[in-house]
Amino acid sequence: MTTEEFSNEFDTLLNSYSTIEAFGKTPSTVELDEYEKSVFLTKAQEEIVIDMYNGKNPFGDSFEKTEEIRRYLSTLIKTYTTTDKKVGYTGLSKSSVFFELPKDDLWFITYESVNLKDDGLGCMSGEDISVIPITQDEYHRIRKNPFRGTNERRALRLDLSDKVVEIVSKYNVESYLIRYLSRPAPIILTDLTENLSINGISVKTECELNPVIHRAILERAVKLAIISRVPNAGKE
């Protein structure tokens, strides 16, 4: 759907709902401006993406397990590689290195690896190995375990604040790669006034997701609008 189609069908679907007041009074309808409709569409879009990622979909699987769900979210998958090691941080290991993650649109990391450059690896130097995310408590339990700790096949990742991660590896880390699910751009039906924005954007913005799920976004957005404006709407 284009933004115009989203707007027009939003109004049509919204007007199909009405609240019948007591004693036979005229039904009351919900009216929204373009900014309000954009807010509900954006919220619905984000909820649906998170549901798909978590497996709350008709297939019951996360998006990595279902080809159809992967296609729905393919425009949101991005790859990021960095060799820029951050300084000024104290790690849990003497071999810890720190990298900064994308700050603007990163939602969920779906895959990560590091490239090792270390003479101690011999012919394996230059290989990519998996990175396993763990908590600080887990790290202290497994750090000396040769099978679950760091080795020539795996490194560990701990999260810090400000989108900085700590990578613990037995060998020298040359670069860090992630593939991640990005936050979708908001659906904005028209250019907004100077004092209004959604997720930092104030210009007309089309939905970037697969058109197959546009109607699901529209229907959820209208439901969110009704629930927000009509007392007890959506409650059994």
Side-chain angles (χ1 to χ4, degrees):
M1 292 185 190
T2 64
T3 52
E4 289 78 9
E5 290 171 331
F6 265 117
S7 181
N8 293 335
E9 294 198 31
F10 195 114
D11 290 336
T12 299
L13 190 55
L14 189 63
N15 289 336
S16 69
Y17 293 88
S18 63
T19 305
I20 306 298
E21 297 183 357
F23 309 111
K25 293 183 179 180
T26 303
S28 62
T29 58
V30 179
E31 295 183 359
L32 302 173
D33 59 29
E34 297 300 279
Y35 170 71
E36 292 171 314
K37 287 188 284 185
S38 298
V39 169
F40 286 119
L41 286 165
T42 299
K43 180 175 174 58
Q45 173 182 244
E46 292 182 351
E47 287 183 357
I48 286 174
V49 169
I50 292 174
D51 283 351
M52 287 184 174
Y53 176 79
N54 289 327
K56 296 179 181 178
N57 54 70
F59 307 99
D61 288 326
S62 66
F63 84 104
E64 280 295 321
K65 293 183 179 180
T66 305
E67 175 69 16
E68 186 170 354
I69 299 300
R70 288 201 297 272
R71 297 284 72 79
Y72 290 164
L73 301 181
S74 61
T75 57
L76 300 181
I77 303 302
K78 297 183 180 180
T79 301
Y80 170 81
T81 304
T82 180
T83 58
D84 184 17
K85 300 174 185 178
K86 312 305 291 185
V87 297
Y89 296 91
T90 301
L92 298 183
S93 167
K94 293 181 179 179
S95 62
S96 293
V97 292
F98 301 86
F99 295 99
E100 187 173 22
L101 299 173
K103 289 187 176 181
D104 296 332
D105 64 347
L106 185 148
W107 259 12
F108 307 108
I109 296 175
T110 61
Y111 171 82
E112 54 190 317
S113 66
V114 291
N115 181 267
L116 302 180
K117 289 287 181 69
D118 196 303
D119 292 338
L121 287 168
C123 63
M124 291 185 63
S125 181
E127 294 286 329
D128 294 329
I129 65 170
S130 298
V131 174
I132 310 300
I134 62 170
T135 65
Q136 294 183 34
D137 288 341
E138 288 176 312
Y139 173 74
H140 286 294
R141 288 198 301 269
I142 70 174
R143 61 192 178 93
K144 294 183 179 180
N145 186 317
F147 301 103
R148 299 184 61 200
T150 60
N151 54 43
E152 69 277 5
R153 296 293 181 185
R154 57 184 277 158
L156 305 176
R157 184 252 292 173
L158 299 103
D159 294 312
L160 281 69
S161 60
D162 298 325
K163 292 289 181 71
V164 173
V165 294
E166 176 182 355
I167 303 297
V168 183
S169 173
K170 185 176 180 180
Y171 300 97
N172 181 64
V173 174
E174 178 71 10
S175 63
Y176 176 53
L177 177 148
I178 63 170
R179 184 160 290 172
Y180 65 96
L181 184 69
S182 62
R183 185 178 191 174
I187 302 172
I188 302 180
L189 303 179
T190 188
D191 291 347
L192 305 177
T193 58
E194 293 183 1
N195 61 333
L196 293 177
S197 66
I198 301 175
N199 295 347
I201 299 176
S202 58
V203 297
K204 179 179 176 180
T205 307
E206 302 281 351
C207 180
E208 62 182 324
L209 299 185
N210 192 308
V212 173
I213 60 174
H214 285 188
R215 189 155 303 281
I217 294 171
L218 174 67
E219 291 175 354
R220 182 174 295 201
V222 171
K223 289 179 181 178
L224 291 173
I226 294 296
I227 291 171
S228 72
R229 297 300 180 91
V230 180
N232 300 318
K235 297 182 180 179
E236 298 182 355

